[in-house]
Amino acid sequence: MSNLIFPFTDEHRMIRDTARDFAREKIAPIAAEFDESGEFPHETIKKMGEMGFMGIEVPEEYGGAGMDTLSYVLAEEEIAKVDAAHGVIMSVNNSLYCTGILKFGTEEQKKKYVPPVASGKAIGAYSLTEPMSGSDAGTMKSRAVRDGDSYILNGRKSWVTSGPVAEYIVVFMMTNPELHHRGVTAFLVEAGTPGFSRGKKEPKLGIRASATSELLFEDCRVPVTNRLGEEGEGFKIAMTVLDSGRIGIAAQALGIAEAAYEASVEYAREREAFGQKIGQFQGIGFKLADMKTHIEATRLLTYNAALAKQRAKTTGERFTVEAAMAKLFASETSMFVTHAAVQIHGGMGYSKELPIERYFRDAKITEIYEGTSEIQRLVIARSELGLK
Ligand code: CAA
């Protein structure tokens, strides 16, 4: 349990407990099997949608639960604590997909494209990265060319979370290469659109039950009404949405770390060596103390980022740095804690009989996707130095 003294509302406690119970009852029994097979967990994701977990901050009129950012973070943490793959599918639907449409979409776009994903009836995706454009997102090669009342999209996108199953995609393409990042435009694409197809599925180290793939656009024609925001506004939309997404990944990383830590405490209390419980050795006790302290610090940064985002809904202030610090510290904590957890468990930490090795594999991606740790440091440093 956390030592945090925090002014939670009854609503916060309710969503946290509901998510915790659901994760323990419905996800825990299948997590290892879906990790092993790499199959997408359609059934549990659908149930999560029915329970309102796929659009927690989305207003009820657009099919969501109409709750605040902290509610979303608390639920994301509990789901990821049991299975990080369910956690990232949930995070992408909530933040990467719904946030951008709600903030930059027309009323028609919000009515058409938010409810199916916020209610979990459909899966959404966010597609920015390309094989030769990752951290340096402004260098994308995909092109969208205006043709009357349509745009014709061509390009290859990669590392798209939920790419193999998404029905709706927010995709970023270059409309004016001469303007570099100011020439990027965002579009809403339905998976059935001619010219759209799914490419290579990524075989991954962790979060294996979440599906990741390339997306291919070959003369894919979308109406101008599916442009999200103005021409050239795409890079700003991509970055704004990532600020929200990074808070979700911080909560995911926090959940993974907590799971590994709690298992380690239990093991250190029970396992004996040299005539005593291993927790009584200072080498193990100090490790646990560091793990716990990092987790509680992560929690503060992550909940603070959630409050900063919530405040931004009325003030319009940016919360870029709060989100970057939370994501950076949470992901590195997740890696540190899961690494220590494997060591504390010894051989059992390396065995698939326990979920510890899965936590370790799952933690790594949180230092990479939605902006690597290096990118988070760059964002924080530039802000502190007043460079941007
Ligand atoms: N909010 C609003 N606007 C922002 C912004 C933000 N957070 N960050 C930058 N901008 C704006 C700037 O103000 C600037 O605007 P002007 O054109 O008016 O000057 C513009 O965007 C360009 O900003 P920079 O000059 O800072 O851009 P840059 O090229 O130096 O790059 C970067 C900045 C922070 C490195 C950015 O490229 C970045 O975040 N890269 C990482 C990309 C990333 O996270 N990718 C993950 C993809 S999603 C994923 O992981 C897959 C998945 O499915 C989960």
Side-chain angles (χ1 to χ4, degrees):
M1 288 299 283
S2 167
N3 301 73
L4 190 63
I5 301 159
F6 208 81
F8 291 123
T9 61
D10 288 344
E11 196 173 73
H12 292 142
R13 285 190 203 93
M14 186 271 294
I15 187 139
R16 184 192 60 197
D17 296 348
T18 309
R20 183 180 293 166
D21 292 346
F22 176 82
R24 284 180 185 167
E25 283 166 28
K26 305 287 183 206
I27 302 177
I30 61 154
E33 177 192 328
F34 279 76
D35 170 61
E36 183 73 26
S37 68
E39 224 181 287
F40 190 87
H42 287 283
E43 218 173 292
T44 33
I45 290 296
K46 192 162 162 272
K47 279 191 199 135
M48 282 166 64
E50 287 161 9
M51 295 178 76
F53 294 160
M54 288 301 175
I56 293 177
E57 292 179 78
V58 173
E60 287 174 47
E61 57 180 307
Y62 302 118
M67 298 173 93
D68 66 5
T69 310
L70 189 54
S71 301
Y72 161 56
V73 158
L74 292 168
E76 172 66 34
E77 180 186 332
E78 293 299 332
I79 298 294
K81 189 169 172 181
V82 169
D83 183 39
H86 279 78
V88 73
I89 300 162
M90 174 176 163
S91 174
V92 169
N93 262 33
N94 274 275
S95 24
L96 287 191
Y97 180 85
C98 289
T99 305
I101 306 175
L102 286 174
K103 195 166 166 61
F104 296 97
T106 61
E107 193 51 36
E108 288 69 33
Q109 289 171 341
K110 289 185 211 175
K111 281 195 185 126
K112 185 172 179 188
Y113 291 114
V114 174
V117 173
S119 61
K121 293 192 179 89
I123 301 291
Y126 168 100
S127 181
L128 175 69
T129 304
E130 298 181 359
M132 295 308 287
S133 160
S135 292
D136 191 2
T139 57
M140 65 182 68
K141 297 276 178 290
S142 296
R143 294 280 181 271
V145 176
R146 178 91 184 239
D147 180 35
D149 287 341
S150 318
Y151 282 90
I152 300 171
L153 275 46
N154 278 288
R156 182 150 68 106
K157 292 288 182 179
S158 56
W159 290 106
V160 184
T161 302
S162 297
V165 290
E167 282 99 329
Y168 302 103
I169 300 108
V170 175
V171 66
F172 300 88
M173 300 242 160
M174 196 60 93
T175 39
N176 190 343
E178 282 171 22
L179 296 178
H180 307 287
H181 70 264
R182 288 186 181 163
V184 175
T185 304
F187 298 93
L188 286 157
V189 178
E190 298 181 28
T193 311
F196 168 83
S197 62
R198 307 175 203 269
K200 174 173 73 99
K201 194 177 163 201
E202 299 297 341
K204 306 193 298 289
L205 172 73
I207 53 162
R208 288 174 40 75
S210 76
T212 313
S213 73
E214 292 186 334
L215 295 180
L216 311 174
F217 299 84
E218 290 163 299
D219 293 331
C220 177
R221 188 179 282 271
V222 298
V224 171
T225 49
N226 277 31
R227 188 185 68 213
L228 184 61
E230 297 301 320
E231 238 184 61
E233 215 186 354
F235 194 78
K236 196 177 101 192
I237 295 174
M239 293 299 120
T240 306
V241 169
L242 278 169
D243 286 344
S244 290
R246 287 167 186 169
I247 300 174
I249 300 307
Q252 182 201 28
L254 173 60
I256 301 169
E258 284 179 282
Y261 171 72
E262 286 176 16
S264 301
V265 170
E266 206 177 307
Y267 194 72
R269 280 202 190 113
E270 284 167 12
R271 172 78 177 185
E272 290 185 8
F274 303 101
Q276 60 179 5
K277 307 288 183 197
I278 61 166
Q280 289 173 287
F281 290 105
Q282 214 171 48
I284 302 288
F286 279 14
K287 251 195 183 77
L288 291 171
D290 287 346
M291 291 157 84
K292 171 73 175 168
T293 307
H294 275 78
I295 286 171
E296 292 301 317
T298 294
R299 194 188 301 284
L300 283 168
L301 282 170
T302 306
Y303 294 180
N304 185 62
L307 296 183
K309 181 184 169 191
Q310 187 62 33
R311 185 182 59 186
K313 288 178 192 170
T314 41
T315 64
E317 284 170 79
R318 269 173 59 175
F319 50 91
T320 305
V321 175
E322 287 86 349
M325 290 193 298
K327 202 249 181 201
L328 172 64
F329 198 76
S331 56
E332 295 194 347
T333 292
S334 197
M335 210 52 226
F336 161 69
V337 170
T338 55
H339 181 268
V342 172
Q343 195 66 18
I344 289 169
H345 283 78
M348 287 311 293
Y350 203 66
S351 163
K352 284 195 181 288
E353 276 184 39
L354 293 183
I356 314 300
E357 61 83 35
R358 172 163 60 87
Y359 302 150
F360 180 55
R361 286 187 285 107
D362 287 350
K364 184 58 205 171
I365 190 62
T366 65
E367 292 184 318
I368 299 172
Y369 59 16
E370 300 201 24
T372 61
S373 294
E374 290 76 9
I375 289 296
Q376 308 311 322
R377 287 190 166 88
L378 185 141
V379 167
I380 299 161
R382 278 180 178 181
S383 165
E384 286 301 292
L385 296 166
L387 296 177
K388 288 274 170 180

Coordinates of all heavy atoms in Angstrom, one line a residue, residues 10-21 51-53 56 65 67-68 70-72 74-75 78 90:
D10 N -14.2 10.5 -3.3 CA -14.9 9.2 -3.3 C -14.9 8.6 -4.7 O -14.7 7.4 -4.9 CB -16.3 9.3 -2.8 CG -16.4 9.6 -1.3 OD1 -15.3 9.4 -0.7 OD2 -17.4 10.1 -0.8
E11 N -15.0 9.5 -5.7 CA -15.0 9.1 -7.1 C -13.6 8.4 -7.5 O -13.5 7.4 -8.1 CB -15.3 10.2 -8.0 CG -15.7 9.8 -9.4 CD -16.1 11.0 -10.3 OE1 -15.3 11.8 -10.7 OE2 -17.3 11.1 -10.6
H12 N -12.5 9.1 -7.0 CA -11.2 8.5 -7.2 C -11.1 7.1 -6.6 O -10.6 6.2 -7.3 CB -10.1 9.4 -6.7 CG -10.0 10.7 -7.3 ND1 -9.7 11.9 -6.7 CD2 -10.1 11.1 -8.6 CE1 -9.7 12.9 -7.5 NE2 -9.9 12.4 -8.7
R13 N -11.5 7.0 -5.4 CA -11.4 5.7 -4.7 C -12.2 4.6 -5.4 O -11.8 3.5 -5.6 CB -11.9 5.8 -3.2 CG -10.8 6.5 -2.4 CD -11.2 6.4 -0.9 NE -10.5 7.5 -0.3 CZ -11.0 8.7 0.0 NH1 -12.3 8.9 -0.3 NH2 -10.3 9.7 0.5
M14 N -13.4 5.1 -5.9 CA -14.3 4.1 -6.5 C -13.7 3.6 -7.8 O -13.7 2.4 -8.0 CB -15.6 4.9 -6.8 CG -16.8 4.0 -7.4 SD -16.7 3.9 -9.1 CE -17.1 5.6 -9.6
I15 N -13.1 4.5 -8.6 CA -12.6 4.0 -9.9 C -11.3 3.1 -9.7 O -11.1 2.1 -10.3 CB -12.4 5.1 -11.0 CG1 -12.0 4.4 -12.3 CG2 -11.3 6.1 -10.5 CD1 -12.6 5.0 -13.5
R16 N -10.5 3.6 -8.7 CA -9.3 2.8 -8.4 C -9.7 1.4 -7.9 O -9.1 0.4 -8.4 CB -8.5 3.5 -7.3 CG -7.2 2.8 -7.0 CD -6.6 3.4 -5.7 NE -7.5 3.2 -4.6 CZ -7.4 3.9 -3.5 NH1 -6.4 4.8 -3.3 NH2 -8.2 3.7 -2.5
D17 N -10.7 1.3 -7.0 CA -11.1 0.0 -6.5 C -11.7 -0.9 -7.6 O -11.5 -2.1 -7.6 CB -12.0 0.1 -5.3 CG -11.2 0.8 -4.1 OD1 -10.0 0.9 -4.2 OD2 -11.9 1.2 -3.2
T18 N -12.6 -0.2 -8.4 CA -13.2 -1.0 -9.5 C -12.2 -1.6 -10.4 O -12.3 -2.7 -10.9 CB -14.2 -0.1 -10.2 OG1 -15.1 0.6 -9.3 CG2 -15.1 -0.8 -11.2
A19 N -11.2 -0.7 -10.8 CA -10.2 -1.2 -11.7 C -9.3 -2.3 -11.1 O -9.0 -3.3 -11.8 CB -9.3 0.0 -12.1
R20 N -9.0 -2.1 -9.8 CA -8.2 -3.1 -9.1 C -9.0 -4.5 -9.1 O -8.4 -5.5 -9.4 CB -8.0 -2.6 -7.7 CG -7.1 -3.5 -6.9 CD -6.9 -3.0 -5.5 NE -6.1 -1.7 -5.5 CZ -6.0 -0.9 -4.5 NH1 -6.6 -1.1 -3.4 NH2 -5.3 0.2 -4.6
D21 N -10.2 -4.4 -8.7 CA -11.0 -5.7 -8.7 C -11.1 -6.4 -10.0 O -10.9 -7.6 -10.2 CB -12.4 -5.4 -8.1 CG -12.4 -5.0 -6.7 OD1 -11.3 -5.2 -6.0 OD2 -13.4 -4.5 -6.2
M51 N -17.1 -1.1 -19.0 CA -17.0 -0.5 -17.7 C -16.5 0.9 -17.7 O -16.4 1.6 -16.6 CB -16.0 -1.3 -16.8 CG -16.5 -2.8 -16.6 SD -15.3 -3.7 -15.7 CE -15.5 -3.1 -14.1
G52 N -16.3 1.5 -18.9 CA -16.0 2.9 -19.0 C -14.5 3.2 -18.9 O -14.1 4.3 -18.9
F53 N -13.6 2.2 -19.0 CA -12.2 2.4 -18.9 C -11.5 2.9 -20.1 O -10.4 3.2 -20.1 CB -11.5 1.1 -18.4 CG -11.8 0.6 -17.0 CD1 -11.6 -0.7 -16.7 CD2 -12.4 1.5 -16.1 CE1 -11.9 -1.2 -15.4 CE2 -12.7 1.1 -14.8 CZ -12.5 -0.3 -14.5
I56 N -12.1 7.4 -20.1 CA -12.4 7.8 -18.7 C -12.6 9.3 -18.6 O -13.5 9.8 -18.0 CB -11.3 7.4 -17.7 CG1 -11.3 5.8 -17.6 CG2 -11.4 8.0 -16.3 CD1 -10.3 5.2 -16.7
A65 N -16.7 8.3 -19.8 CA -17.1 8.2 -18.4 C -17.2 9.6 -17.7 O -17.7 9.7 -16.6 CB -16.2 7.3 -17.6
M67 N -14.9 11.5 -16.4 CA -14.2 11.7 -15.1 C -13.0 12.6 -15.3 O -12.7 13.0 -16.4 CB -13.9 10.3 -14.5 CG -15.1 9.5 -14.2 SD -14.8 7.9 -13.7 CE -14.8 8.1 -11.9
D68 N -12.2 12.8 -14.2 CA -11.0 13.7 -14.3 C -9.7 12.9 -14.6 O -9.8 11.6 -14.7 CB -10.9 14.6 -13.1 CG -10.5 13.8 -11.8 OD1 -10.3 12.5 -11.9 OD2 -10.5 14.4 -10.8
L70 N -7.0 12.5 -12.9 CA -6.5 11.6 -11.8 C -7.2 10.3 -11.8 O -6.6 9.2 -11.6 CB -6.6 12.3 -10.5 CG -5.9 11.7 -9.3 CD1 -4.4 11.4 -9.6 CD2 -6.0 12.5 -8.1
S71 N -8.5 10.3 -12.1 CA -9.3 9.0 -12.2 C -8.7 8.1 -13.2 O -8.5 6.9 -13.0 CB -10.7 9.3 -12.5 OG -11.3 10.2 -11.6
Y72 N -8.4 8.7 -14.4 CA -7.8 7.9 -15.5 C -6.5 7.3 -15.0 O -6.2 6.1 -15.2 CB -7.6 8.8 -16.7 CG -6.6 8.3 -17.7 CD1 -6.8 7.0 -18.3 CD2 -5.5 9.1 -18.1 CE1 -5.9 6.5 -19.2 CE2 -4.6 8.6 -19.0 CZ -4.8 7.3 -19.5 OH -3.9 6.8 -20.4
L74 N -5.4 6.7 -12.0 CA -5.5 5.6 -11.0 C -6.0 4.3 -11.6 O -5.5 3.2 -11.2 CB -6.5 6.1 -9.9 CG -6.1 7.3 -9.0 CD1 -7.2 7.9 -8.2 CD2 -4.9 6.9 -8.1
A75 N -6.9 4.4 -12.5 CA -7.4 3.2 -13.2 C -6.3 2.6 -14.1 O -6.1 1.3 -14.0 CB -8.6 3.5 -14.1
E78 N -3.8 0.6 -11.9 CA -4.3 -0.7 -11.4 C -4.4 -1.7 -12.5 O -4.0 -2.9 -12.3 CB -5.7 -0.5 -10.8 CG -5.8 0.3 -9.6 CD -4.9 -0.3 -8.4 OE1 -4.8 -1.5 -8.4 OE2 -4.5 0.5 -7.6
M90 N -5.3 0.3 -23.3 CA -6.2 1.3 -22.6 C -5.7 2.7 -22.7 O -6.4 3.7 -23.0 CB -6.3 0.9 -21.1 CG -7.1 1.9 -20.2 SD -7.2 1.2 -18.5 CE -7.6 2.7 -17.6

